[in-house]
Amino acid sequence: MKEASSLCKLGFDIDKGAGFFCQVPSPVHDGELIVLQPCERLTKVSVIGAGNVGMAIVQTILTQGLADEIALVDAEADRVRGKMLDLQHAATFLPRVRIVAGTDVLALTRSSDLALITVPRETAAASRMDQLRRNVALLREVVPTVAEGSPESLLLVVSNPVDVLAYAAWKLSGFPSSRVIGSGTDLDSARLRCLLAEHLGVGAQDVQAYMVSEHGDGALALWSSVRVGGMPVLSYLQKTHSLFDAEALEGIRRAVVGGAGEVIGLKGYTSWAIGYSAASLARSLLRDQRRVYPVSVLSKGFVPGNAHEVFLSLPARLGRRGVLG
């Protein structure tokens, strides 16, 4: 059976279809031909890793119209081709996007504006550090190749342990630290906002709350900065809830930190929430929206007085040039 991803593979002449529409002639002014300038270069996003997280990111970026071309790279050729075809068959319902897929990292990701790096999914039994050796080895294979073909791109690491892997990606890429970002505690912060919003009966988008430090068991909640509609929340909760003490706050923090483990234990993996988180980060980066997110950044120089080269999750302003401060 012939592959049906395009009519040319079914024996149709590829040049014949181009004549369906007549070419619009170039305009002439005062007897001189006006040369039409080419369109501005389109936005290209590459996603390395076609697992559950990678595909959730692709699907969210597609539906939000954040890219003109998406390159999907995975080690399993048949699987990634099947996922590409599945997405292409949804073209009628989506903005016009060119989708390519395969195993060749350099060829597929060349000239990317943003490359998102995901690796095999985590399991409930594996700690973040258990994944470190395996995932750093994968980054050694992928990151230098992406950097070679897309020397001006932004790198967004969405793999665990994300703070450590963002540091590794920075070193392996040779990029300025401002162009290498980890998804960090953005999803942890979203989980905290979700819990608070449900308790207070407001929309999660109206809650401002940050988890910082590391994406993992050591994540910290910035309780004093929690706001709803610009109003401080902590003092209100402590006045209206007699048991809302330090122990209660720690219980909420543990629930947030354990959120991923609970989801993995129930459905086997996390995907949708991190997909939306990554797409939101991509939007701010690609559209230069300069929104503030708690993401993994190089803390040296970012935090006054910190001379250590480590990546930590801190509130950072994200725009087209990466981390803007």
Side-chain angles (χ1 to χ4, degrees), residues 223-268:
W223 291 111
S224 61
S225 69
V226 177
R227 299 284 190 278
V228 173
M231 300 296 293
V233 171
L234 181 60
S235 58
Y236 165 78
L237 291 173
Q238 290 176 329
K239 289 177 181 178
T240 58
H241 296 69
S242 59
L243 298 179
F244 210 90
D245 53 12
E247 184 177 350
L249 296 179
E250 174 60 16
I252 296 172
R253 189 200 71 83
R254 286 197 302 268
V256 170
V257 169
E262 182 180 9
V263 173
I264 293 171
L266 292 169
K267 62 176 276 192

Side-chain angles (χ1 to χ4, degrees), residues 155-157 161-167 177 180-186 213-215 281 293-299 310-316 318 323:
L155 290 182
L156 177 55
V157 179
V162 68
D163 304 297
V164 181
L165 292 185
Y167 173 86
S177 60
V180 182
I181 304 149
S183 54
T185 53
D186 184 57
S213 184
E214 69 155 332
H215 173 58
L281 299 177
Y293 292 89
V295 288
S296 297
V297 295
L298 181 66
S299 62
V310 295
F311 269 62
L312 292 173
S313 293
L314 300 166
L318 303 183
V323 178

Side-chain angles (χ1 to χ4, degrees), residues 62-82:
L62 268 174
T63 56
Q64 294 186 9
L66 299 181
D68 302 294
E69 179 176 352
I70 296 177
L72 184 56
V73 184
D74 194 85
E76 297 184 28
D78 289 343
R79 181 177 73 159
V80 74
R81 174 175 168 75

Side-chain angles (χ1 to χ4, degrees), residues 91-161:
T92 302
F93 316 106
L94 296 168
R96 186 173 184 270
V97 180
R98 180 173 184 257
I99 305 173
V100 296
T103 61
D104 190 329
V105 177
L106 181 60
L108 289 166
T109 66
R110 190 181 296 278
S111 300
S112 294
D113 295 287
L114 172 65
L116 297 102
I117 300 174
T118 73
V119 289
R121 68 180 174 88
E122 56 196 282
T123 62
S127 69
R128 305 227 184 264
M129 297 311 295
D130 289 337
Q131 303 166 57
L132 179 58
R133 181 176 299 177
R134 177 194 65 183
N135 291 350
V136 167
L138 290 170
L139 259 61
R140 290 185 191 278
E141 298 177 11
V142 170
V143 172
T145 306
V146 172
E148 177 186 349
S150 305
E152 300 301 322
S153 70
L154 301 169
L155 290 182
L156 177 55
V157 179
V158 192
S159 303
N160 285 318

Side-chain angles (χ1 to χ4, degrees), residues 11 27 31 40 50 55 65 69 86 160-161 194 198 215 220 237 239 262 268 279 286 289 294 307:
E40 185 177 349
M55 293 310 299
E69 179 176 352
D86 203 8
N160 285 318
C194 176
E198 183 178 11
H215 173 58
L220 303 174
L237 291 173
K239 289 177 181 178
E262 182 180 9
L286 295 171
Q289 292 193 338

